[in-house]
């Protein structure tokens, strides 16, 4: 199968996945009790006022009609208007999404480097003292809830040592990159889980590749160990490692909801909580579909990287 055909098929599959996610999101929001009109008007309102507000926002239309109208606008880049603020959804979530993406990107980069280092060091000597120490430490980190890790970081670095801020206050009109210190603790809290979780999976991939016949043959041929690792071992782990880090991207975006609340970081968590509280369907659907697109693209890239690293995957099984 040609690479171009493979990419076309994966893009088509990604489009179908995003469409399915949008439908599931819409149905999930629909089954939430109450609606935006009731949330905005509160309890001191009449049935007529409630019905009038629902009619103004189109909430009196069948769910299928509203979904198809939203979908038709979304494919043209219009994610609708927030019921509560009256602003375009794209404008309302642009800055929080950018701030959350900064946080996730830095945490993912830190996790990528350290998880690879952890995985290679432990996987090259499975069962060794170093492997047992790293794997045991990783298991402890994964088992501890992230809000606990975040709280311990605040207690140590902010309240005890006083070297890092406990709250992520972004300068007015600026971004978190203008005050890098406010990113340190949220990134450590996010990356600690990523390093531990991804590191154990990379370690398993490295251990499997380390036992492969071509790697053992390279060592028997007298090649230097760094050359064996770089030329024969690591390439075999690329497909599995790429999938691990695609899953990691999805996990980091999900974890930011807790971490952002702990550090009062101005990302998507505040927007999402407000939208859920007010049944702001347009904002929930907009945030959900944008996050789904980011995650689907991450898996698409992981599939392509894995295919490029292992051309046999392009061949259909007979």
């Amino acid at each position: 199968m040609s690479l171009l055909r493979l990419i076309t098929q994966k893009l088509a599959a990604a489009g179908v996945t995003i469409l399915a996610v949008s439908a599931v999101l819409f149905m999930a929001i629909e089954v939430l009790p109450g609606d935006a009109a009731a949330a905005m008007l509160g309890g001191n309102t009449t049935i007529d006022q409630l019905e009038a507000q629902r009619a103004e926002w189109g909430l009196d239309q069948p769910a299928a009609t509203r979904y198809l109208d939203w979908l038709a606008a979304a494919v043209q880049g219009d994610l609708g208007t927030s019921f509560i603020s009256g602003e375009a959804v794209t404008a309302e979530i642009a800055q929080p999404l950018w701030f959350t993406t900064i946080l996730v990107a830095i945490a993912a980069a830190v996790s990528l480097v350290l998880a690879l280092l952890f995985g290679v060091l432990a996987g090259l000597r499975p069962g060794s003292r170093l492997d047992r120490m790293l794997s045991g430490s990783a298991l402890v980190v994964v088992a501890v809830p992230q809000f606990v890790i975040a709280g311990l970081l605040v207690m140590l670095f902010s309240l005890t040592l006083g070297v890092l801020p406990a709250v992520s206050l972004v300068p007015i009109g600026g971004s978190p990159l203008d005050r890098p210190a406010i990113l340190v603790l949220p990134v450590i809290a996010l990356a600690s889980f990523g390093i531990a979780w991804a590191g154990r999976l990379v370690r398993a991939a490295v251990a499997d590749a380390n036992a492969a016949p071509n790697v053992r043959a390279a060592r028997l041929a007298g090649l230097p160990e760094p050359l064996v690792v770089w030329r024969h071992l690591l390439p075999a782990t690329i497909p599995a490692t790429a999938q691990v880090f695609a899953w990691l991207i999805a996990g980091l975006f999900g974890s930011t909801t807790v971490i952002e609340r702990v550090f009062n970081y101005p990302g998507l968590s505040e927007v999402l909580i407000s939208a859920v509280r007010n049944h702001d369907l347009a904002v929930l659907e907009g945030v959900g579909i944008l996050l789904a697109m980011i995650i689907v693209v991450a898996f698409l890239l992981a599939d392509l990287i894995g295919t490029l690293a292992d051309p046999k995957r392009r061949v259909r099984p007979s």
Side-chain angles (χ1 to χ4, degrees), residues 15-79:
V16 172
T17 301
I18 292 171
L19 181 64
V21 169
S22 73
V24 171
L25 273 173
F26 191 91
M27 287 188 289
I29 297 168
E30 279 293 307
V31 299
L32 291 175
D35 61 20
M40 191 189 78
L41 295 176
N44 298 322
T45 184
T46 64
I47 295 295
D48 290 340
Q49 289 174 318
L50 196 58
E51 294 300 326
Q53 189 62 64
R54 285 173 174 158
E56 181 181 341
W57 286 343
L59 296 176
D60 58 340
Q61 298 296 314
T65 301
R66 286 186 283 121
Y67 172 69
L68 292 175
D69 289 344
W70 176 86
L71 187 62
V75 295
Q76 302 176 55
D78 180 7
L79 295 178

Side-chain angles (χ1 to χ4, degrees), residues 124 224-236 238:
L124 282 176
E225 183 64 16
L227 192 60
V228 172
V229 173
W230 181 256
R231 182 177 293 176
H232 297 280
L233 191 150
L234 289 182
I238 290 176

